[in-house]
Amino acid sequence: MAVSSMRASAKTQDTKTSGFDLLKSNPSSLIVPLISIGVVVMLTPLVLVPQLNEIIELRREVEQKESTLTDLTEKRTFLEGLDETTLQSDLDLAEKVLPKKKPVFNVIAALGQLVEKSELTLPSYDFTPGLLATESGKVGSVESDPGELAFLTVDYEVKGPFESIYTLMTLLETAAPLAAVKEISIDGMIVPESPDELSGTLTMQMFFSLPPVFRAKPEDPIKKMNARDQETLNEIAQFEEYELDMSNIPALDQQREDLFNY
Amino acid sequence: MNETVPSVNLLVGRKKAIQKKNVFFAKVQFIAALVLLVYIGLVVAILLVRFGVKAQSDSLDRKIDEQTLVLAQLRPVEEKYYTLTHKLTLLSEFLAVRGDMKASVRLIRDTLPEGVELASIGFGDNNQIMIEARVQDVFVLRDFLTLVRSQVSEDLFRTVNLDGFSRGEDGVWQLSSVYAIGS
């Protein structure tokens, strides 16, 4: 009886001994767990977290760079795919319709020819070209912002039937350089019996646009021509160019600045 | 007298307890070492991933530099293309409204009531046509106003604004109005 109670007591004592008590009884067994905990505690804030943050940051950068690279590659493929000869001829065409400088001589030539072609008589005209930069001048000295639609204004005194104004407007629709009637001032009826005859002043505009300032960076996306631009290109290809007959203009001395250029 | 003495072997329990204790210590050591190894493995893996991503980033940098260099050589082409599209945009905007102007001038002039004498026709920037006219008497002016009202109600013009009309000493009415075309 006594033996069995002693055994039971020893068993109970064994089961009651906790793991913590066991570890306390043998401190040397704590070395490895403590080292593990120490390593985890030290490496986590010093190495693991910064590295993880850096990975997240790098991944973000990589995604951004991949996107940039895709854009650059697309842009390069697009630009390399352009036929330079066609591009130059399209640009020449666009600049013929919308010159890159004040079309001083063209105004005199084109508008005069157009007015006459419309069967309007042209007693006189008044033309104020405004500021003209010289070869040594800066583009900024011309009163127009680069890339904006600007115009020169010419006042023509005209006589003829009103129908000719419509003819003129029709001709202007397909004239290069680009021009438009701004105002028709009618002095009065020339012949009271034929009210369609008019005498008045035609204020006309001749458009030009200084070259736009090109500041695009390589990574900037390229604005591609849309269907409307293509339609416009096809439309202006049909335009008739009115040029000044340069044979009537004395040749400029090459040693002197061309006042009509900049 | 042969008396049996009960024997108690207390070492059996003790031995078992020691064995159990040793197993426990071994488990603790093993788990701690395993945790340490796994953790170090994790750190190494993370470092490798970081170096991999960095290498990928550097490689992309090199590729971007190459493309940028090529694009710098293509800059004159890009500039020409930019100028072309810019001019075409300006032209498109201009040409889009010009056709309406001519048709509208014809409509305005051809439908003017008899007795209305045009003095000037001007073209505004926002699809507007301004006219100044002389009207001989008030009845013609009434006809003109009736016409303008009907033209707006028929959607021939978006709006027609009568800027003003005045009567001079000679009895002739001067009127100016602005026609807005387009939708």
Side-chain angles (χ1 to χ4, degrees), chain A residues 22 29 36 44 51 54 65 75-76 88 98 147 162-163 173 179 182 184 186 196 216 225 232, chain B residues 21 29 32 39 46 50 57 61 67 75 78 80-81 86-87 89 92 98 106 109 119-121 123:
Chain A
L22 283 172
S29 66
S36 299
T44 300
Q51 290 301 320
E54 200 163 340
K65 283 174 187 174
K75 189 174 174 179
R76 177 189 170 173
Q88 187 59 55
L98 198 56
F162 207 99
E163 196 60 33
E173 282 179 10
K182 177 66 181 168
I184 308 161
I186 301 153
D196 272 349
M225 270 171 63
T232 305
Chain B
K21 210 191 272 181
Q29 304 279 334
Y39 187 79
I46 283 171
R50 184 212 170 278
S57 175
D61 279 339
Q67 296 291 346
R75 193 173 169 82
E78 189 186 354
K80 274 183 196 172
Y81 188 78
H86 184 83
K87 279 194 185 285
T89 305
S92 300
R98 195 164 65 165
R106 187 179 277 277
R109 184 177 178 271
S120 77
I121 305 171
F123 302 91

Side-chain angles (χ1 to χ4, degrees), chain B residues 1 38 98 120 123 155 176:
Chain B
M1 202 154 138
V38 169
R98 195 164 65 165
S120 77
F123 302 91
D155 285 337
S176 62

Side-chain angles (χ1 to χ4, degrees), chain A:
Chain A
M1 184 71 178
V3 172
S4 62
S5 74
M6 279 175 74
R7 278 182 182 159
S9 162
K11 206 171 188 179
T12 314
Q13 202 178 353
D14 273 358
T15 51
K16 275 185 180 169
T17 311
S18 66
F20 187 69
D21 293 333
L22 283 172
L23 289 170
K24 269 205 312 191
S25 68
N26 185 8
S28 63
S29 66
L30 287 172
I31 290 172
V32 176
L34 284 176
I35 288 172
S36 299
I37 292 167
V39 168
V40 170
V41 168
M42 275 178 62
L43 286 186
T44 300
L46 290 176
V47 179
L48 199 66
V49 174
Q51 290 301 320
L52 281 173
N53 285 337
E54 200 163 340
I55 286 170
I56 292 167
E57 186 59 36
L58 278 169
R59 278 301 311 161
R60 200 177 294 137
E61 273 180 29
V62 164
E63 277 172 25
Q64 209 172 358
K65 283 174 187 174
E66 276 173 347
S67 161
T68 307
L69 184 64
T70 310
D71 292 346
L72 289 176
T73 312
E74 269 179 29
K75 189 174 174 179
R76 177 189 170 173
T77 312
F78 176 75
L79 287 174
E80 282 178 340
L82 288 173
D83 178 8
E84 277 195 59
T85 317
T86 312
L87 178 63
Q88 187 59 55
S89 68
D90 287 348
L91 185 60
D92 290 344
L93 175 65
E95 286 187 342
K96 199 163 66 180
V97 178
L98 198 56
K100 61 182 174 186
K101 56 188 178 186
K102 276 188 179 182
V104 179
F105 280 136
N106 296 47
V107 168
I108 301 164
L111 297 187
Q113 286 175 43
L114 280 165
V115 168
E116 283 173 19
K117 210 171 172 181
S118 316
E119 295 178 356
L120 287 164
T121 51
L122 185 67
S124 69
Y125 60 81
D126 180 17
F127 179 37
T128 312
L131 271 179
L132 291 168
T134 64
E135 287 287 353
S136 56
K138 299 252 181 348
V139 172
S141 63
V142 179
E143 69 280 45
S144 165
D145 290 329
E148 284 190 2
L149 193 65
F151 57 83
L152 291 174
T153 306
V154 196
D155 288 337
Y156 283 92
E157 275 186 32
V158 290
K159 284 180 182 175
F162 207 99
E163 196 60 33
S164 295
I165 299 289
Y166 298 136
T167 310
L168 178 66
M169 289 179 89
T170 309
L171 288 171
L172 284 176
E173 282 179 10
T174 53
L178 197 66
V181 176
K182 177 66 181 168
E183 193 176 344
I184 308 161
S185 300
I186 301 153
D187 294 341
M189 308 303 170
I190 309 168
V191 187
E193 299 82 48
S194 54
D196 272 349
E197 288 291 310
L198 73 89
S199 164
T201 308
L202 264 182
T203 304
M204 290 179 60
Q205 291 173 321
M206 183 71 89
F207 293 91
F208 68 101
S209 173
L210 298 180
V213 180
F214 181 65
R215 289 200 192 96
K217 293 175 193 162
E219 62 270 23
D220 289 343
I222 194 160
K223 185 195 165 246
K224 292 180 187 169
M225 270 171 63
N226 54 28
R228 195 177 161 200
D229 291 336
Q230 193 57 54
E231 276 173 27
T232 305
L233 194 61
N234 295 338
E235 192 179 337
I236 62 172
Q238 312 300 323
F239 278 27
E240 190 177 345
E241 191 179 7
Y242 293 91
E243 285 177 325
L244 184 66
D245 183 5
M246 293 304 284
S247 59
N248 295 328
I249 306 292
L252 285 169
D253 185 346
Q254 292 302 308
Q255 301 303 313
R256 300 176 69 183
E257 288 173 329
D258 178 3
L259 287 172
F260 298 101
N261 208 340
Y262 55 82

Side-chain angles (χ1 to χ4, degrees), chain B:
Chain B
M1 202 154 138
N2 208 2
E3 202 175 323
T4 316
V5 179
S7 64
V8 178
N9 188 357
L10 292 171
L11 285 175
V12 175
R14 181 71 186 147
K15 208 174 170 183
K16 275 185 183 171
I18 289 169
Q19 275 176 351
K20 202 173 167 184
K21 210 191 272 181
N22 287 340
V23 169
F24 176 75
F25 287 142
K27 271 186 190 169
V28 169
Q29 304 279 334
F30 176 74
I31 291 167
L34 190 69
V35 167
L36 187 62
L37 280 174
V38 169
Y39 187 79
I40 288 171
L42 184 72
V43 170
V44 170
I46 283 171
L47 283 171
L48 286 174
V49 170
R50 184 212 170 278
F51 287 131
V53 178
K54 182 79 175 79
Q56 194 184 358
S57 175
D58 291 345
S59 160
L60 282 168
D61 279 339
R62 280 194 299 277
K63 285 179 186 167
I64 287 172
D65 287 346
E66 278 170 26
Q67 296 291 346
T68 308
L69 196 69
V70 176
L71 282 171
Q73 288 162 355
L74 288 167
R75 193 173 169 82
V77 179
E78 189 186 354
E79 189 168 357
K80 274 183 196 172
Y81 188 78
Y82 172 77
T83 310
L84 174 65
T85 50
H86 184 83
K87 279 194 185 285
L88 288 176
T89 305
L90 291 176
L91 285 166
S92 300
E93 286 166 5
F94 182 84
L95 296 174
V97 293
R98 195 164 65 165
D100 293 341
M101 288 288 193
K102 191 189 75 183
S104 302
V105 171
R106 187 179 277 277
L107 180 70
I108 291 168
R109 184 177 178 271
D110 293 358
T111 57
L112 280 179
E114 203 174 324
V116 179
E117 199 176 293
L118 270 178
S120 77
I121 305 171
F123 302 91
D125 292 331
N126 304 314
N127 287 351
Q128 289 180 332
I129 298 174
M130 291 81 75
I131 68 158
E132 286 181 358
R134 290 183 286 270
V135 180
Q136 294 304 325
D137 61 58
V138 74
F139 299 107
V140 177
L141 182 64
R142 185 195 59 196
D143 290 346
F144 175 75
L145 293 178
T146 309
L147 170 83
V148 163
R149 220 173 266 127
S150 70
Q151 283 175 331
V152 173
S153 63
E154 287 169 27
D155 285 337
L156 295 173
F157 299 103
R158 186 154 43 91
T159 56
V160 178
N161 183 34
L162 285 171
D163 272 1
F165 46 91
S166 58
R167 188 171 177 271
E169 285 178 2
D170 54 357
V172 176
W173 290 80
Q174 308 275 347
L175 69 90
S176 62
S177 56
V178 180
Y179 293 74
I181 60 170
S183 51

